[in-house]
Amino acid sequence: KGAKVIKGPNSNTAYIFLPGKSSNIPGYGGGAKNITIEGGEFEGYGDNIGISITSHHVENLVCRDAIFKKAVTNGHVFDLGGCKDVLIENCYFIGMTLKEGREYTEAIQLDYSSSGALSKQFQAYDGLPTINVTVKNCKFLPIYNQDGTIANHAPNPTGCHSIIDGQYFRNIKFIDNLVIDSPADSPNNTGTWLRFYAIDGMEISGNKFINTKSIKNTVVSLQTKTNGLLLKDVGTETEPSSTIPVMPCK
């Protein structure tokens, strides 16, 4: 509660692991339960050292009243792999560093319990999707230069960019948030502010999306894929991509 975590030039990792990397219990809550992050400031360093709170099989995770500044680079502030019952409210996400080919990087990523999704940092992968996530009353803001140009765009708030056959992210809510000047669309259209695959049950309501620059932006995108990970391949050495049936958002 109320801690300050600031990365410096000698930081060699961006990651904070919940529940740590030794848990080998599958299923929701198998990693950890009932975690609350309240208040505090988390700040990355330069263009390459962010802060990522990576969670696997965590159940009942709450983060409120925290500030994350320049925490999004190649990774996410929250990477939620096979988690359940997550509430992120009244938080500030300020500035991201754009990396070519990763313009889509989200502050809050909905993810699966799989080796590839979580950079082989955990055990007991079972392919579970993250479910029951609410992001409420948060602010996603840019950092401006003195002349009013954008130094660092606001982070893309939330979304996902991979799928596992038959596994839907369920009950996702994005409510009463403010988003100003997230990245413009990239050439391959991955720069969407809110981009989702395989969603079953979503509420996007009461938000303000503000673009102060005359550049093209896609605010919400619901997409499908015909390639993804088969459930039987979860946790294998390579987790190969395969052709899968279309999983439309619903």
Side-chain angles (χ1 to χ4, degrees), residues 18-242:
L18 299 177
K21 295 191 286 185
S22 61
S23 175
N24 60 1
I25 302 173
Y28 296 120
K33 296 181 180 179
N34 305 323
I35 295 175
T36 299
I37 301 170
E38 190 169 69
E41 298 180 26
F42 301 80
E43 185 172 342
Y45 179 84
D47 292 335
N48 297 303
I49 304 174
I51 292 179
S52 182
I53 301 173
T54 303
S55 302
H56 186 221
H57 286 154
V58 172
E59 183 175 356
N60 193 20
L61 169 64
V62 176
C63 180
R64 60 168 59 94
D65 301 327
I67 299 171
F68 300 91
K69 185 174 182 181
K70 293 192 71 174
V72 179
T73 54
N74 284 313
H76 317 273
V77 176
F78 289 96
D79 195 350
L80 304 170
C83 297
K84 177 183 179 183
D85 299 335
V86 177
L87 173 62
I88 300 173
E89 65 175 347
N90 301 328
C91 292
Y92 283 77
F93 298 86
I94 305 171
M96 71 176 290
T97 299
L98 288 177
K99 297 292 185 178
E100 186 175 357
R102 288 189 62 86
E103 297 90 347
Y104 59 83
T105 304
E106 309 93 350
I108 303 161
Q109 185 191 17
L110 309 179
D111 219 335
Y112 293 97
S113 169
S114 76
S115 175
L118 298 170
S119 303
K120 299 183 179 181
Q121 297 291 341
F122 295 94
Q123 303 176 51
Y125 300 112
D126 54 17
L128 283 177
T130 288
I131 62 174
N132 303 343
V133 177
T134 298
V135 180
K136 186 175 182 179
N137 290 327
C138 293
K139 292 179 173 60
F140 300 85
L141 306 175
I143 299 172
Y144 295 107
N145 294 309
Q146 289 186 347
D147 63 1
T149 58
I150 295 175
N152 297 88
H153 286 84
N156 299 301
T158 187
C160 51
H161 50 262
S162 62
I163 55 177
I164 294 179
D165 183 30
Q167 302 293 87
Y168 279 86
F169 302 104
R170 301 195 306 274
N171 190 27
I172 309 302
K173 299 181 180 181
F174 190 76
I175 302 171
D176 296 336
N177 301 289
L178 173 64
V179 186
I180 301 177
D181 289 336
S182 282
D185 286 358
S186 58
N188 58 356
N189 198 33
T190 62
T192 305
W193 295 5
L194 301 174
R195 180 178 66 133
F196 300 97
Y197 295 91
I199 292 288
D200 183 359
M202 168 174 284
E203 178 183 348
I204 299 175
S205 64
N207 304 287
K208 289 186 178 181
F209 300 97
I210 299 174
N211 174 21
T212 70
K213 307 301 176 186
S214 298
I215 50 180
K216 179 185 176 184
N217 288 292
T218 302
V219 173
V220 180
S221 178
L222 304 178
Q223 302 183 18
T224 59
K225 285 185 175 184
T226 56
N227 64 294
L229 180 62
L230 297 175
L231 196 55
K232 70 178 182 64
D233 292 329
V234 169
T236 61
E237 181 63 27
T238 59
E239 290 193 331
S241 179
S242 301

